[in-house]
Amino acid sequence: MSGSRKMVLGFVAAASMAIAPLMVAAPATAATDYANCKALNADYPHGVGQPGAVDSTSGTPVTNFTVDQALYDANTKSDRDGDGIACEKH
């Protein structure tokens, strides 16, 4: 291996060792687990649902809820009708 090739490989190795620690992902923040629907609706007035959820109602369905899987998962206890939307309201 030529001297210049070794030098280039040395620079690449040194650069990757310097950059690698910066590439570590920051830990994800936990979704808020609200105590009840009143607390959740203060931040999300129309509720929170999982992607693809459809409001099960005999009236006009809620379609303007916030879609957020992690937030829904943290508040599934508030999805009383099991339609994939917690604390939905018009």
Side-chain angles (χ1 to χ4, degrees):
M1 192 181 297
S2 71
S4 62
R5 183 178 269 173
K6 285 181 184 179
M7 193 165 76
V8 169
L9 288 176
F11 283 128
V12 170
S16 66
M17 288 174 30
I19 294 172
L22 302 175
M23 295 172 53
V24 176
T29 58
T32 303
D33 179 8
Y34 289 90
N36 53 45
C37 283
K38 183 176 180 180
L40 187 142
N41 289 141
D43 290 339
Y44 302 95
H46 304 286
V48 176
Q50 54 191 350
V54 177
D55 186 18
S56 62
T57 181
S58 59
T60 305
V62 174
T63 58
N64 54 351
F65 57 89
T66 300
V67 177
D68 186 318
Q69 185 69 52
L71 189 57
Y72 173 79
D73 289 344
N75 294 282
T76 55
K77 66 187 180 307
S78 295
D79 183 7
R80 293 178 294 225
D81 57 0
D83 61 359
I85 309 166
C87 304
E88 66 267 30
K89 70 178 192 175
H90 294 274

